């Protein structure tokens, strides 16, 4: 498959946000689209950090015709409950409270590669395939038309485009070449980026030597130093025998900085250690703690990462210009992790990125129909400014969630005088709040994304 010399819309990055952008643009009536990715082959790639689709995202995906298949393949999640390490209930997120507010009053547990597969199939049905591997190494204004940008690739090829959608992740080359900054939107010189006990994370797909006696499909535990969740993922190795017929679970655990850097590939022993130190008593392999002792038997996949909060200074820019109203240049739009990143608290990241991409299609189609003008550019600029505002709100939400799950050192120091441990106070507060149905439903509405469709 040969890369064309030009296109109206170039999408860089074939992850969830990039494919959602391309599909949304296609279904909005724009056919001249090229999507590239630097990874040579993602087929059979079962790795993924993200594994939750919330109600607002399911609504958005429904506009692309993807939701039904994802709901069928995923695991429906009606509650997202939090416990202490002794398996005592603290606080719940009750998605049943969304009934009457959406056609999808639940969340879906489904690994990211399945979401990508559904999007990719829809693209192929529409006649669009991903060009691989194409790694962007340069961008420059087209010599004949300053409303076009020439994007060059590591293999020596190049393509001219009117719109470039940067969906190439947190280290986005498109963002950097466009000269767009990327930092914590809430940080100031006297108030630096927040660091807490969830500063490092390990995520792994694991199996046990039996069926865990946990109460929920998604079982999250808050300890004094970390957050540890285990969730059912019954289908992440579909077509594979890696699980040896066993149910697969997703483990997500914070690793405090004082515990050192996690290994690049978590072993069975390391995952068990995380569970013993930060997880539920009902998942312990120690019979003195858990009469139904259970052990991790296999690690099918794992990743480690440092958490960070950041948003691009702008999600829209004219390439090569000062970006003032009325300036010319190709349009650069950022979506997904290229535009914003934050810890996976509440499963917000991929959901926000998918909604970024899906919302962009009708806007670009309308701007192209109107033709090049300050008004059509302003239409896209205003939309992307709105998306950035929502991203900043979500970053604030994840900061709040991460801050309550893993207290920042500043908060712990503030309450050092108290005769009662700050985490015990936190658990008491959660337990009291958890008794209120209104609180549980309000949390569900906030996390679902319905508040900012």
């Amino acid at each position: 498959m040969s890369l064309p010399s030009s296109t109206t819309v170039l999408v860089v990055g074939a992850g969830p946000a990039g494919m959602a952008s391309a599909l949304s643009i296609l279904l909005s009536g724009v056919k001249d689209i090229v999507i590239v990715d630097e990874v040579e082959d993602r087929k059979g790639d079962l790795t993924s950090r993200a594994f939750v689709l919330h109600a607002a995202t399911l609504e958005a995906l429904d506009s692309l015709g993807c939701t039904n298949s994802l709901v069928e393949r995923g695991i429906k999640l009606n509650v997202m409950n939090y416990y202490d390490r002794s398996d005592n209930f603290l606080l719940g997120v009750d998605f049943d409270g969304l009934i009457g507010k959406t056609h999808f009053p639940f969340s879906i547990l489904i690994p990211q590669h399945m979401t990508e597969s559904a999007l990719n199939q829809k693209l192929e049905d529409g006649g669009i395939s991903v060009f691989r591997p194409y790694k962007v190494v340069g961008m420059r204004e087209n010599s004949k038309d300053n409303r076009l940008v020439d994007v060059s690739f590591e293999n020596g090829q190049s393509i001219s485009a009117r719109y470039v959608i940067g969906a190439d992740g947190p280290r986005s080359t498109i963002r950097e070449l466009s000269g767009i900054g990327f930092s914590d939107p809430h940080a100031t010189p006297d108030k630096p980026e927040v660091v807490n006990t969830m500063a490092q994370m390990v995520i792994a797909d694991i199996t046990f030597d039996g069926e865990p006696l946990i109460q929920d499909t998604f079982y999250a535990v808050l300890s004094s130093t970390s957050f540890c969740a285990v969730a059912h993922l019954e289908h992440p190795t579909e077509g594979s025998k890696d699980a040896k017929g066993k149910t697969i679970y997703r483990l997500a655990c914070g690793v405090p900085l004082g515990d050192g850097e996690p290994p690049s590939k978590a072993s069975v022993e390391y995952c068990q250690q995380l569970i013993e130190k930060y997880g539920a008593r009902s998942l312990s392999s120690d019979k003195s703690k858990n009469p139904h002792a259970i052990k991790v038997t296999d690690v099918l996949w794992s990743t480690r990462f440092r958490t960070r909060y950041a948003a691009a200074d702008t999600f829209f820019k004219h390439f090569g210009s000062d970006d003032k109203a009325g300036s010319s240049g190709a349009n650069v739009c950022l979506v997904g992790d290229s535009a914003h990143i934050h810890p996976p608290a509440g499963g917000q990241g991929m959901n926000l990125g998918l909604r970024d991409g899906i919302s962009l299609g009708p806007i670009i189609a309308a701007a192209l129909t109107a033709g090049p003008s300050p008004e059509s550019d302003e239409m896209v600029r205003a939309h992307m400014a709105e998306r950035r505002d929502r991203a900043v709100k979500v970053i604030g939400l994840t900061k709040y969630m991460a801050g309550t799950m893993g207290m920042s050192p500043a908060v712990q120091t503030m309450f050092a005088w108290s005769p009662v441990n700050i985490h015990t106070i936190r658990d008491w507060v959660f337990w009291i709040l958890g008794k209120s149905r209104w609180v549980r439903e309000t949390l569900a509405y906030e996390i679902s994304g319905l508040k900012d469709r």
Side-chain angles (χ1 to χ4, degrees):
M1 188 168 58
S2 178
L3 187 74
S5 60
S6 64
T7 185
T8 301
V9 181
L10 173 66
V11 180
V12 180
M19 286 196 287
S21 299
L23 184 55
S24 177
I25 294 167
L26 175 67
L27 295 178
S28 297
V30 179
K31 308 297 183 183
D32 189 20
I33 306 167
V34 169
I35 179 169
V36 300
D37 194 276
E38 66 179 58
V39 178
E40 184 168 7
D41 182 13
R42 292 179 68 93
K43 291 182 179 179
D45 181 5
L46 305 178
T47 63
S48 62
R49 294 183 185 179
F51 69 112
V52 181
L53 292 176
H54 289 302
T57 309
L58 292 172
E59 286 187 349
L61 286 166
D62 199 39
S63 70
L64 304 182
C66 295
T67 298
N68 288 342
S69 64
L70 293 171
V71 171
E72 289 173 1
R73 299 176 74 184
I75 300 171
K76 189 176 292 186
L77 184 65
N78 297 108
V79 294
M80 187 181 286
N81 290 334
Y82 295 85
Y83 299 82
D84 66 15
R85 294 203 61 209
S86 297
D87 299 297
N88 297 310
F89 174 79
L90 295 177
L91 181 67
V93 178
D94 189 352
F95 294 116
D96 284 344
L98 302 179
I99 294 174
K101 300 174 182 176
T102 174
H103 292 302
F104 307 101
F106 47 79
S107 292
I108 291 294
L109 296 180
I110 187 167
Q112 179 177 320
H113 79 272
M114 286 190 177
T115 303
E116 292 178 354
S117 177
L119 291 167
N120 187 62
Q121 185 60 56
K122 287 290 184 180
L123 281 173
E124 290 185 349
D125 291 346
I128 295 180
S129 298
V130 180
F131 288 85
R132 303 177 184 275
Y134 279 84
K135 182 178 181 179
V136 174
V137 294
M139 294 173 66
R140 66 180 182 181
E141 186 178 281
N142 184 276
S143 59
K144 296 180 180 179
D145 185 346
N146 65 3
R147 284 191 168 272
L148 299 177
V149 61
D150 295 334
V151 180
S152 55
F153 301 96
E154 193 173 53
N155 61 12
Q157 297 185 52
S158 65
I159 187 172
S160 299
R162 175 72 183 92
Y163 279 86
V164 177
I165 313 299
D168 50 338
R171 295 184 177 87
S172 171
T173 301
I174 298 300
R175 187 186 65 233
E176 292 179 4
L177 292 174
S178 300
I180 300 173
F182 195 58
S183 61
D184 184 343
H186 302 114
T188 62
D190 58 342
K191 187 181 178 183
E193 185 173 313
V194 174
V195 176
N196 58 46
T197 54
M198 288 182 65
Q200 301 178 125
M201 292 286 295
V202 166
I203 295 178
D205 289 347
I206 61 176
T207 61
F208 293 99
D209 61 0
E211 291 299 320
L213 297 180
I214 52 178
Q215 302 172 43
D216 303 313
T217 302
F218 176 91
Y219 199 87
V221 170
L222 303 181
S223 66
S224 61
T225 54
S226 189
F227 162 83
C228 184
V230 173
H232 285 75
L233 277 187
E234 296 180 354
H235 314 297
T237 55
E238 192 172 57
S240 168
K241 296 182 180 179
D242 290 346
K244 303 173 185 176
K246 298 177 182 177
T247 301
I248 300 169
Y249 294 84
R250 170 63 56 88
L251 169 68
C253 189
V255 181
L257 295 174
D259 283 4
E261 185 176 354
S264 58
K265 298 293 182 181
S267 64
V268 167
E269 293 74 20
Y270 186 78
C271 288
Q272 188 68 57
Q273 289 172 14
L274 291 178
I275 291 172
E276 299 292 350
K277 192 168 185 179
Y278 304 117
R281 182 175 59 184
S282 54
L283 292 175
S284 174
S285 62
D286 186 344
K287 288 189 176 181
S288 66
K289 298 178 181 178
N290 179 19
H292 305 283
I294 189 167
K295 293 182 179 180
V296 177
T297 55
D298 292 285
V299 178
L300 308 180
W301 163 82
S302 70
T303 187
R304 64 175 181 183
F305 57 95
R306 293 289 296 271
T307 59
R308 184 186 174 191
Y309 305 93
D313 292 346
T314 179
F315 289 8
F316 172 87
K317 185 177 181 181
H318 288 294
F319 181 78
S321 76
D322 56 13
D323 203 35
K324 293 180 180 178
S327 58
S328 60
N331 293 330
V332 176
C333 300
L334 302 178
V335 297
D337 288 350
S338 301
H340 47 75
I341 58 170
H342 44 76
Q348 298 296 300
M350 185 179 70
N351 284 269
L352 185 61
L354 283 167
R355 299 198 297 271
D356 284 345
I358 295 169
S359 69
L360 186 56
I363 300 299
I364 287 184
L368 288 170
T369 299
S373 68
E375 291 75 21
S376 61
D377 281 354
E378 183 57 32
M379 184 191 311
V380 183
R381 184 193 301 275
H383 175 77
M384 298 309 288
E386 182 180 335
R387 294 308 307 174
R388 186 180 186 278
D389 288 343
R390 293 184 182 184
V392 171
K393 288 180 181 178
V394 170
I395 290 173
L397 173 63
T398 59
K399 280 188 176 184
Y400 179 77
M401 294 177 69
T404 55
M405 292 175 186
M407 298 292 189
S408 68
V411 172
Q412 296 184 54
T413 301
M414 186 185 305
F415 285 86
W417 57 269
S418 174
V420 181
N421 185 282
I422 180 60
H423 299 96
T424 301
I425 296 174
R426 175 200 64 188
D427 291 353
W428 286 347
V429 171
F430 280 3
W431 180 75
I432 293 170
L433 291 175
K435 289 183 172 297
S436 167
R437 182 177 179 83
W438 179 84
V439 169
R440 298 195 304 271
E441 292 182 356
T442 298
L443 287 172
Y445 192 66
E446 189 77 37
I447 290 174
S448 72
L450 294 172
K451 184 178 180 180
D452 292 306
R453 281 181 172 89

